[in-house]
Amino acid sequence: MHDERRRIEQRVERLHHQRIRPALYAATVPLTVEAWQAPGEPVPFEEAAAAPYTPFAMDTPWGPPWGTTWFRVRGEVPAAWAGRRVETVIDLGFTGDWPGNQAEALVHLPDGTPLKAVNPLNQYVPVARAATGGERIDYLVEAASNPDILADGFARPTPLGDVLTAGDRPLYTFRRADLAVLDEEVFHLDLDVQVLSELMRELGEHDPRRHEIAHALDRAMDLLDLDDIPGSAPAVREALKPSLSRPAHASAHVISGVGHAHIDSAWLWPIRETKRKTARTFSNVTALAEEYDDFVFACSQAQQYAWVRDHYPKVWARIEEAVRKGQWVPVGGMWVEADGNLPGGEAVARQFVHGKRFFIEHFGIETKGVWLPDSFGYNAAYPQLAKLAGNEWFLTQKISWNQTNRFPHHTFWWEGIDGTRIFTHFPPIDTYNARFSGEEMSRAVRNYAEKGGATRSLAPFGWGDGGGGPTREIMERARRLADLEGSPKVVVEHPDEFFAKAREEYPDAPVWVGELYLELHRATYTTQARTKQGNRRSEHALREAELWATTAALHAPGYAYPYERLDRLWKTVLLHQFHDILPGSSIAWVHREAEAEYARVAEESEALTAEALAALGAGEGRVFNTSPCERREVVRRPDGSAALVRVPANGSAPLTPVAPQHPVTVEERVLDNGLVRVELADDGTLASVLDRRAGREVLAGKGNLLRLHTDLPNYWDAWDVDKHYQHRYTDLLETTRITVVEQDPLIGAIRVVRTFGNGSTITQTVTLRADSPRIDFATDLDWHEAEKFLKAGFPIDIRAPHSAAEIQFGHVQRPTHTNTTWEAARFEVSGHRWVHVGEPGYGVAVINDSTYGHDVSRTVREDGGTTTTVRLSLVRAPRVPDPEADQGRHRFTYALLPGADIADAVAEGYALNLPLRLADAAAPPAPVVAVDGDGITVEAVKLADDRSGDVVVRLYESRGGRARGTLRPGFRTARAHITDLLERPLSEAALADGAVPLELRPFQILTLRLARS
């Protein structure tokens, strides 16, 4: 037989695209359209319904950036269409096929009921499956003219990312508003041909099935009447039926399809637009559920449900019905799909608490899995936190984006820092926006790493990022691929069912230990520094507010614990931990609003703390310590003078000065307190840091060296820092002035001012305090650079085989060598409050109050010694998607802590982030809780969310070893329980003389619920 594949494939492609697809609608009539441009921000339906509308013609430009245009669409179904399937078809001037960042609309009935959304690949609104003729169409269409920030492939900055700079030129041209008859035979023929031709192209050239499909298509096309596509469609479909009916091989891979609509809670659009995206997408999904009984849709992010509940109650009612029918599946159990690296440990716990509780309260469903496909790496505390929240499985996708190394597993056990394991799947289809194309089906099988051990994988299907969700075309593909020779089998099912089957067939799946590091998007640890600072400070402010509110609730008669206010503030912080807000990868509008929200959280948290302390009663000045560690520290009195005080952990003490044992002296550019001696060079860097206790020089080069790198990644500007940034840089060694600004036995400080680059100024105050080896660098940066990356480096005279960086509820160790591509790929990593490097007997920590990115490298000097360099990433200046990212004023502090072990790093990390507080308040009888035992660290103290009055304490082992100790409540305790993160009792804890004995494994998290007697 002659090889005619090329002729056949070309023939099928042309007939499909030029004849079959254009025949989907057998007849059309135009609708009458009127328009009203809403001024400013979106308006409620009632206001739009009462607005004055004017005639609007097709092919007319509409829609300024971020504007809302309401269209009134009217018409009548012709009597001749009786018995036909009739739809309204609307094309707003869609560009491309991505529904996320362009024109979108929600179609309403005259009474305000949302019907369905329209977007590029979902342009229809059903009118009647079998029209009677004469049906009246009267719709109000809320159309959003969102600009395409992705235009030009992220190649150039754009002002469109903020309504303040976007201008008002119309972006779109309205193309179509018709009533149309959908020819269902042609519709199904279109899908038959798509599925078979795509499968054919993916099969090997020597596979008989490929040739069988080709000739079947060729014969079928012979039956297609080019002058009567609808009339000949049934015969063509009948000819293709044998090829579509041949069953899959018994050993075929099984793909569990789960409907999905990834909706970024903010990204290339502001939060206000996400609220509308949820209504559009969820309207589409519930409409699809009514049409396809076998449809299953998984949806995460409780915050998005709450938006729909509050703003679109009719859509919410449809969601409730779909949940009852089992077609809508809440998943993920988090408030939002948060970034996987940057939120603090308690914040991750609250993501689960608020997310899971929402689904339990509103649907009676406890989610079983973590659904987090798109975060930029995942911290190694996740397995334990997920299990403590009652989860059984974890799903992600993003690791498929690795730049260097291919992740070796698709189904595996993920083991966290404490030893907890969770069953994890990483879909080999390599997308969370699957369409069941032939290429995707082939890719899933080709990629699948578990061949021979397991037979199934999961595929989230539906348009996403900006929403959209599954379509009827995707569902039709799934039906055809359920059992088709040459293809994996597709079964649409609940993700819990997939994970149960996958675990049953593969109980001995391989184990991955430690973080899931994404070898891409490393700049998200640094970009939009003010957003990251707002998050860090909000987390600590809420910790403080909860501790002192609990103290007041226990000891101040008449004080009411502020449940609602704390709940609202936490949810604000959790929302802004979404994986395109906190990482700094959103448009200017998003980060402008985030900074304003963080300022509000700071103000309200401060008010809550002040109210709690005031409730304790009037008293002389006291010092309050929110840290879990006892502190001997210098504080500033209200008059500006300094005092050295000692304050217990989680408690308070009188503002009674303690005599310093190691006062500070200042001589020219030298700070010395007997513990450390710090000498600044003429260029403002650290020339020497002598640890007098150990008798050793800490530095092996210029300390606090500020290095300005050229920073233009290959693509995703706000997301990525590529390794070549290291090759071009300028060391900031020129100073404007160096001045001694404080010279006191308690505090010595030297200020260094530098100007550089494009008019930027950095002012750093180097401070040493009495009785402390910690050297602080309080930094005031006025930043005006573009495509630059600023780092602060400390070359330390230590041979450290690894660095340790704080993460959620513990720390991770990372090699300082680059023996393999896996280590070399970690040239930029994340950490929280501290990084530690050490050799046996000696270590040094670098501490920060708001940065996350850093790098650690090592070199061997000519004298044979090893220099381990720790560099903090301070600020970047990408121009896409926000051309003004990070521009302007930044204030932050980082510190060098010589002679530190891990315990010192933990304590000083808390101290720098939780400054001592002065207040004129009465002394509470005792701290709410006191803990003894090395390594046992209190992370949160609060009242139970159920308003029972029980006290909840979350603590963990922070050093990486076993810990024993005792928790002593500062109140009479009737009983104690160990609980999950949702404060539900798991077991009773022992009480001995009112105290709770503790025994923790390395990095174990323990939540205790203490009932008052």
Side-chain angles (χ1 to χ4, degrees):
M1 182 181 288
H2 298 298
D3 185 353
E4 294 194 280
R5 283 177 300 156
R6 185 177 180 185
R7 175 191 66 79
I8 294 171
E9 289 171 7
Q10 291 177 340
R11 181 192 189 197
V12 171
E13 182 176 10
R14 180 172 188 183
L15 289 175
H16 179 226
H17 289 288
Q18 295 184 15
R19 294 294 190 271
I20 298 173
R21 186 162 289 171
L24 283 172
Y25 289 106
T28 64
V29 295
L31 293 163
T32 300
V33 180
E34 298 174 299
W36 173 69
Q37 174 69 47
E41 287 296 282
V43 301
F45 173 85
E46 293 75 18
E47 183 176 339
Y53 286 76
T54 58
F56 185 90
M58 292 300 96
D59 298 319
T60 299
W62 70 278
W66 305 114
T68 302
T69 305
W70 286 80
F71 296 100
R72 187 182 295 280
V73 178
R74 290 172 169 160
E76 182 176 322
V77 177
W81 291 3
R84 312 290 296 275
R85 181 165 180 165
V86 179
E87 299 177 344
T88 300
V89 182
I90 296 174
D91 183 348
L92 297 169
F94 299 120
T95 59
D97 61 2
W98 183 48
N101 209 51
Q102 60 164 297
E104 301 176 70
L106 182 60
V107 179
H108 302 76
L109 291 175
D111 66 357
T113 300
L115 278 182
K116 187 177 171 294
V118 290
N119 58 48
L121 295 172
N122 208 336
Q123 298 182 17
Y124 74 96
V125 179
V127 175
R129 273 191 171 274
T132 59
E135 290 94 339
R136 293 288 303 169
I137 304 303
D138 189 353
Y139 296 150
L140 275 176
V141 181
E142 182 188 20
S145 48
N146 299 328
D148 183 4
I149 308 298
L150 283 174
D152 301 322
F154 269 63
R156 289 186 292 275
T158 173
L160 292 173
D162 196 331
V163 69
L164 301 180
T165 58
D168 58 5
R169 182 179 64 84
L171 298 176
Y172 300 101
T173 299
F174 205 130
R175 294 200 188 102
R176 180 182 188 185
D178 293 336
L179 277 176
V181 174
L182 178 69
D183 190 303
E184 297 192 69
E185 281 294 331
V186 176
F187 171 80
H188 285 289
L189 175 59
D190 174 47
L191 272 299
D192 292 345
V193 174
Q194 281 187 53
V195 168
L196 283 174
S197 61
E198 289 177 3
L199 172 60
M200 172 187 67
R201 292 172 184 274
E202 292 300 321
L203 295 171
E205 63 178 282
H206 300 297
D207 191 323
R209 173 65 163 156
R210 175 168 183 159
H211 296 270
E212 180 268 316
I213 294 173
H215 286 278
L217 284 166
D218 197 28
R219 290 189 297 271
M221 293 303 104
D222 290 340
L223 301 174
L224 189 68
D225 186 343
L226 301 187
D227 295 319
D228 186 9
I229 300 295
S232 58
V236 180
R237 292 198 67 209
E238 188 66 26
L240 292 175
K241 188 177 293 184
S243 289
L244 285 165
S245 302
R246 295 182 63 167
H249 298 305
S251 60
H253 184 75
V254 178
I255 293 179
S256 294
V258 180
H260 185 229
H262 187 71
I263 306 177
D264 287 318
S265 290
W267 179 29
L268 305 177
W269 47 84
I271 287 172
R272 71 92 147 137
E273 194 57 29
T274 312
K275 295 176 182 178
R276 301 202 293 180
K277 284 177 176 291
T278 58
R280 297 176 197 129
T281 298
F282 294 173
S283 295
N284 282 355
V285 169
T286 51
L288 197 64
E290 293 173 3
E291 188 171 355
Y292 290 88
D293 291 339
D294 53 339
F295 176 55
V296 175
F297 178 74
C299 186
S300 65
Q301 304 195 83
Q303 171 68 88
Q304 294 183 2
Y305 288 74
W307 285 333
V308 173
R309 178 201 61 195
D310 295 342
H311 300 289
Y312 299 90
K314 294 181 179 179
V315 178
W316 174 253
R318 286 155 57 181
I319 292 172
E320 291 180 307
E321 176 61 23
V323 171
R324 280 192 292 271
K325 292 168 61 178
Q327 292 183 280
W328 185 296
V329 179
V331 293
M334 299 177 73
W335 191 247
V336 296
E337 289 185 12
D339 179 82
N341 291 307
L342 307 180
E346 187 60 25
V348 177
R350 302 300 175 95
Q351 288 282 358
F352 284 121
V353 167
H354 287 288
K356 293 199 66 154
R357 191 173 285 150
F358 184 94
F359 295 135
I360 291 169
E361 291 176 354
H362 290 283
F363 303 120
I365 291 174
E366 177 156 5
T367 56
K368 294 183 179 180
V370 182
W371 185 278
L372 199 55
D374 190 32
S375 186
F376 311 141
Y378 307 89
N379 74 79
Y382 251 118
Q384 184 181 190
L385 284 163
K387 293 296 284 288
L388 287 173
N391 292 296
E392 300 173 359
W393 54 261
F394 189 100
L395 179 135
T396 180
Q397 177 63 65
K398 201 71 171 188
I399 303 300
S400 67
W401 287 39
N402 269 7
Q403 197 174 43
T404 305
N405 299 284
R406 179 172 176 172
F407 194 78
H409 312 302
H410 285 106
T411 301
F412 57 100
W413 289 96
W414 181 19
E415 181 179 313
I417 52 175
D418 73 309
T420 298
R421 292 179 178 178
I422 190 165
F423 195 71
T424 301
H425 183 66
F426 165 36
I429 202 168
D430 278 2
T431 179
Y432 48 81
N433 298 322
R435 297 177 292 114
F436 296 134
S437 69
E439 189 278 329
E440 288 174 343
M441 297 292 95
S442 177
R443 184 199 317 154
V445 176
R446 183 173 63 250
N447 282 352
Y448 190 53
E450 316 309 320
K451 298 182 184 77
T455 64
R456 61 184 66 242
S457 65
L458 185 146
F461 66 87
W463 296 94
D465 284 335
T471 63
R472 61 186 177 186
E473 289 80 7
I474 301 176
M475 280 301 297
E476 290 294 338
R477 285 172 174 268
R479 286 181 168 181
R480 287 161 174 78
L481 294 168
D483 191 14
L484 182 62
E485 183 187 358
S487 171
K489 300 177 183 179
V490 173
V491 54
V492 177
E493 63 182 348
H494 194 301
D496 285 350
E497 295 179 26
F498 162 76
F499 275 94
K501 295 171 184 174
R503 184 169 175 175
E504 181 180 6
E505 77 165 356
Y506 203 30
D508 57 346
V511 177
W512 180 268
V513 179
E515 65 185 328
L516 294 175
Y517 176 85
L518 178 62
E519 296 174 358
L520 198 73
H521 293 358
R522 303 168 181 91
T524 58
Y525 316 145
T526 306
T527 304
Q528 298 284 5
R530 284 183 293 268
T531 296
K532 291 173 171 59
Q533 184 178 81
N535 175 74
R536 176 78 69 83
R537 295 185 179 173
S538 295
E539 290 176 346
H540 288 82
L542 285 170
R543 171 198 177 100
E544 190 169 23
E546 286 183 338
L547 174 63
W548 302 119
T550 303
T551 304
L554 293 173
H555 301 301
Y559 175 81
Y561 190 82
Y563 292 101
E564 290 87 356
R565 294 163 72 188
L566 286 168
D567 180 82
R568 176 170 45 80
L569 291 174
W570 263 116
K571 286 175 179 174
T572 298
V573 174
L574 299 180
L575 166 60
H576 288 85
Q577 290 175 341
F578 179 76
H579 64 253
D580 275 308
I581 303 179
L582 183 51
S585 47
S586 290
I587 56 173
W589 191 347
V590 173
H591 292 288
R592 171 170 58 82
E593 290 190 332
E595 291 178 34
E597 285 295 282
Y598 285 131
R600 183 180 64 80
V601 170
E603 181 180 356
E604 293 192 33
S605 298
E606 177 65 24
L608 288 176
T609 297
E611 289 167 14
L613 297 182
L616 293 174
E620 295 296 324
R622 293 187 68 81
V623 186
F624 291 82
N625 174 21
T626 313
S627 162
C629 307
E630 180 182 294
R631 289 158 75 172
R632 179 186 173 92
E633 192 172 309
V634 175
V635 297
R636 296 276 190 189
R637 296 186 179 94
D639 64 4
S641 63
L644 180 65
V645 295
R646 185 191 297 274
V647 196
N650 303 304
S652 69
L655 183 53
T656 304
V658 176
Q661 299 174 4
H662 300 280
V664 179
T665 61
V666 183
E667 294 182 13
E668 295 186 6
R669 294 175 184 165
V670 176
L671 305 171
D672 195 334
N673 66 1
L675 300 174
V676 294
R677 179 184 182 274
V678 182
E679 180 182 350
L680 274 66
D682 291 344
D683 59 18
T685 62
L686 301 185
S688 169
V689 174
L690 177 65
D691 187 337
R692 293 188 178 278
R693 301 160 300 172
R696 63 184 287 170
E697 173 61 44
V698 174
L699 300 178
K702 293 179 181 293
N704 192 38
L705 176 62
L706 298 171
R707 179 165 287 179
L708 186 67
H709 293 266
T710 297
D711 179 24
L712 184 66
N714 291 342
Y715 194 53
W716 302 88
D717 290 21
W719 292 257
D720 287 352
V721 54
D722 286 327
K723 203 167 188 176
H724 53 252
Y725 91 91
Q726 299 171 346
H727 303 157
R728 188 174 181 86
Y729 58 83
T730 300
D731 290 340
L732 304 184
L733 299 176
E734 295 185 8
T735 64
T736 303
R737 61 183 180 275
I738 303 176
T739 314
V740 174
V741 293
E742 193 147 15
Q743 192 167 359
D744 182 273
L746 294 181
I747 303 176
I750 299 173
R751 183 163 296 155
V752 181
V753 181
R754 307 177 191 276
T755 58
F756 60 93
N758 193 33
S760 298
T761 302
I762 186 165
T763 302
Q764 292 196 303
T765 304
V766 185
T767 302
L768 184 67
R769 296 176 177 83
D771 290 7
S772 173
R774 195 180 89 194
I775 307 153
D776 287 359
F777 302 86
T779 303
D780 188 333
L781 171 62
D782 190 14
W783 178 249
H784 299 286
E785 306 307 301
E787 296 171 348
K788 296 293 189 291
F789 193 9
L790 182 64
K791 283 187 168 257
F794 294 92
I796 301 169
D797 188 8
I798 278 179
R799 182 170 176 79
H802 58 257
S803 64
E806 186 188 40
I807 64 166
Q808 297 81 350
F809 294 106
H811 60 266
V812 291
Q813 295 184 341
R814 301 180 176 110
T816 55
H817 62 74
T818 54
N819 281 357
T820 72
T821 55
W822 291 89
E823 285 104 23
R826 286 175 165 84
F827 59 83
E828 180 79 4
V829 292
S830 67
H832 284 205
R833 290 170 290 216
W834 53 266
V835 182
H836 181 272
V837 293
E839 59 192 23
Y842 193 79
V844 174
V846 179
I847 301 164
N848 72 84
D849 74 351
S850 59
T851 63
Y852 294 88
H854 66 276
D855 69 82
V856 181
S857 61
R858 67 178 185 177
T859 58
V860 176
R861 305 187 298 272
E862 290 186 3
D863 65 4
T866 299
T867 301
T868 301
T869 301
V870 178
R871 300 199 310 157
L872 294 182
S873 303
L874 303 181
V875 68
R876 295 183 71 233
R879 302 185 66 206
V880 177
D882 176 4
E884 298 296 318
D886 281 318
Q887 298 299 301
R889 204 69 174 271
H890 301 267
R891 292 185 178 89
F892 51 84
T893 299
Y894 56 88
L896 183 70
L897 186 65
D901 59 17
I902 294 293
D904 297 323
V906 171
E908 292 299 327
Y910 276 110
L912 186 61
N913 283 269
L914 290 165
L916 294 175
R917 172 182 290 273
L918 303 184
D920 292 327
V928 176
V929 291
V931 175
D932 59 54
D934 293 343
I936 301 177
T937 303
V938 174
E939 180 63 13
V941 177
K942 60 188 289 292
L943 289 192
D945 291 339
D946 63 7
R947 308 195 180 199
S948 62
D950 293 352
V951 175
V952 172
V953 181
R954 189 144 31 244
L955 43 82
Y956 70 106
E957 196 289 314
S958 61
R959 302 184 186 182
R962 293 190 178 273
R964 291 183 178 178
T966 305
L967 181 142
R968 304 182 190 282
F971 53 92
R972 294 181 62 188
T973 306
R975 59 190 177 278
H977 285 90
I978 297 171
T979 75
D980 65 6
L981 295 184
L982 278 70
E983 303 171 7
R984 299 175 296 193
L986 300 174
S987 62
E988 191 164 358
L991 267 178
D993 297 326
V996 181
L998 300 173
E999 185 170 349
L1000 277 67
R1001 67 178 181 273
F1003 300 127
Q1004 181 181 356
I1005 303 166
L1006 189 68
T1007 304
L1008 291 172
R1009 182 174 181 136
L1010 309 173
R1012 291 183 276 168
S1013 58

